PDB file of all heavy atoms in Angstrom:
ATOM      1  N   GLU A 209       8.258   3.190 -14.633  1.00  0.00           N
ATOM      2  CA  GLU A 209       9.086   4.344 -14.937  1.00  0.00           C
ATOM      3  C   GLU A 209       9.276   5.115 -13.649  1.00  0.00           C
ATOM      4  O   GLU A 209       8.314   5.457 -12.972  1.00  0.00           O
ATOM      5  CB  GLU A 209       8.423   5.250 -15.966  1.00  0.00           C
ATOM      6  CG  GLU A 209       9.270   6.479 -16.281  1.00  0.00           C
ATOM      7  CD  GLU A 209       8.575   7.408 -17.260  1.00  0.00           C
ATOM      8  OE1 GLU A 209       7.344   7.536 -17.195  1.00  0.00           O
ATOM      9  OE2 GLU A 209       9.275   8.012 -18.068  1.00  0.00           O
ATOM     10  N   LEU A 210      10.532   5.385 -13.306  1.00  0.00           N
ATOM     11  CA  LEU A 210      10.841   6.094 -12.083  1.00  0.00           C
ATOM     12  C   LEU A 210      11.557   7.387 -12.442  1.00  0.00           C
ATOM     13  O   LEU A 210      12.532   7.384 -13.161  1.00  0.00           O
ATOM     14  CB  LEU A 210      11.751   5.239 -11.184  1.00  0.00           C
ATOM     15  CG  LEU A 210      11.220   3.836 -10.880  1.00  0.00           C
ATOM     16  CD1 LEU A 210      12.245   3.074 -10.069  1.00  0.00           C
ATOM     17  CD2 LEU A 210       9.914   3.923 -10.128  1.00  0.00           C
ATOM     18  N   LYS A 211      11.070   8.513 -11.928  1.00  0.00           N
ATOM     19  CA  LYS A 211      11.691   9.803 -12.178  1.00  0.00           C
ATOM     20  C   LYS A 211      11.978  10.483 -10.849  1.00  0.00           C
ATOM     21  O   LYS A 211      11.211  10.353  -9.899  1.00  0.00           O
ATOM     22  CB  LYS A 211      10.774  10.692 -13.027  1.00  0.00           C
ATOM     23  CG  LYS A 211      10.539  10.145 -14.429  1.00  0.00           C
ATOM     24  CD  LYS A 211       9.660  11.089 -15.228  1.00  0.00           C
ATOM     25  CE  LYS A 211       9.442  10.556 -16.635  1.00  0.00           C
ATOM     26  NZ  LYS A 211       8.559  11.467 -17.421  1.00  0.00           N
ATOM     27  N   THR A 212      13.082  11.230 -10.801  1.00  0.00           N
ATOM     28  CA  THR A 212      13.430  11.881  -9.550  1.00  0.00           C
ATOM     29  C   THR A 212      12.843  13.278  -9.486  1.00  0.00           C
ATOM     30  O   THR A 212      12.647  13.936 -10.495  1.00  0.00           O
ATOM     31  CB  THR A 212      14.959  11.987  -9.398  1.00  0.00           C
ATOM     32  OG1 THR A 212      15.485  12.657 -10.539  1.00  0.00           O
ATOM     33  CG2 THR A 212      15.588  10.622  -9.294  1.00  0.00           C
ATOM     34  N   ASP A 213      12.577  13.726  -8.249  1.00  0.00           N
ATOM     35  CA  ASP A 213      12.130  15.098  -8.049  1.00  0.00           C
ATOM     36  C   ASP A 213      13.334  15.955  -7.674  1.00  0.00           C
ATOM     37  O   ASP A 213      14.476  15.508  -7.764  1.00  0.00           O
ATOM     38  CB  ASP A 213      11.036  15.162  -6.971  1.00  0.00           C
ATOM     39  CG  ASP A 213      11.501  14.578  -5.644  1.00  0.00           C
ATOM     40  OD1 ASP A 213      12.737  14.523  -5.419  1.00  0.00           O
ATOM     41  OD2 ASP A 213      10.640  14.199  -4.836  1.00  0.00           O
ATOM     42  N   GLU A 214      13.099  17.177  -7.240  1.00  0.00           N
ATOM     43  CA  GLU A 214      14.200  18.101  -6.961  1.00  0.00           C
ATOM     44  C   GLU A 214      15.084  17.630  -5.809  1.00  0.00           C
ATOM     45  O   GLU A 214      16.251  17.975  -5.735  1.00  0.00           O
ATOM     46  CB  GLU A 214      13.639  19.490  -6.646  1.00  0.00           C
ATOM     47  CG  GLU A 214      12.973  20.155  -7.858  1.00  0.00           C
ATOM     48  CD  GLU A 214      12.408  21.517  -7.507  1.00  0.00           C
ATOM     49  OE1 GLU A 214      12.482  21.897  -6.320  1.00  0.00           O
ATOM     50  OE2 GLU A 214      11.915  22.203  -8.418  1.00  0.00           O
ATOM     51  N   SER A 215      14.538  16.825  -4.913  1.00  0.00           N
ATOM     52  CA  SER A 215      15.329  16.327  -3.788  1.00  0.00           C
ATOM     53  C   SER A 215      16.016  15.013  -4.119  1.00  0.00           C
ATOM     54  O   SER A 215      16.593  14.365  -3.265  1.00  0.00           O
ATOM     55  CB  SER A 215      14.422  16.127  -2.563  1.00  0.00           C
ATOM     56  OG  SER A 215      13.432  15.159  -2.836  1.00  0.00           O
ATOM     57  N   HIS A 216      15.931  14.613  -5.403  1.00  0.00           N
ATOM     58  CA  HIS A 216      16.559  13.386  -5.899  1.00  0.00           C
ATOM     59  C   HIS A 216      15.876  12.126  -5.399  1.00  0.00           C
ATOM     60  O   HIS A 216      16.419  11.041  -5.491  1.00  0.00           O
ATOM     61  CB  HIS A 216      18.053  13.340  -5.545  1.00  0.00           C
ATOM     62  CG  HIS A 216      18.813  14.514  -6.077  1.00  0.00           C
ATOM     63  ND1 HIS A 216      19.006  14.729  -7.420  1.00  0.00           N
ATOM     64  CD2 HIS A 216      19.403  15.548  -5.437  1.00  0.00           C
ATOM     65  CE1 HIS A 216      19.707  15.850  -7.582  1.00  0.00           C
ATOM     66  NE2 HIS A 216      19.946  16.368  -6.396  1.00  0.00           N
ATOM     67  N   HIS A 217      14.666  12.262  -4.839  1.00  0.00           N
ATOM     68  CA  HIS A 217      13.887  11.082  -4.486  1.00  0.00           C
ATOM     69  C   HIS A 217      13.099  10.645  -5.719  1.00  0.00           C
ATOM     70  O   HIS A 217      12.721  11.456  -6.544  1.00  0.00           O
ATOM     71  CB  HIS A 217      12.920  11.380  -3.329  1.00  0.00           C
ATOM     72  CG  HIS A 217      13.645  11.531  -2.029  1.00  0.00           C
ATOM     73  ND1 HIS A 217      12.980  11.795  -0.854  1.00  0.00           N
ATOM     74  CD2 HIS A 217      14.960  11.463  -1.706  1.00  0.00           C
ATOM     75  CE1 HIS A 217      13.854  11.879   0.139  1.00  0.00           C
ATOM     76  NE2 HIS A 217      15.058  11.687  -0.361  1.00  0.00           N
TER      77      HIS A 217
END
Side-chain angles (χ1 to χ4, degrees):
E209 179 183 36
L210 306 176
K211 295 182 179 179
T212 55
D213 57 22
E214 293 179 357
S215 62
H216 302 293
H217 288 180

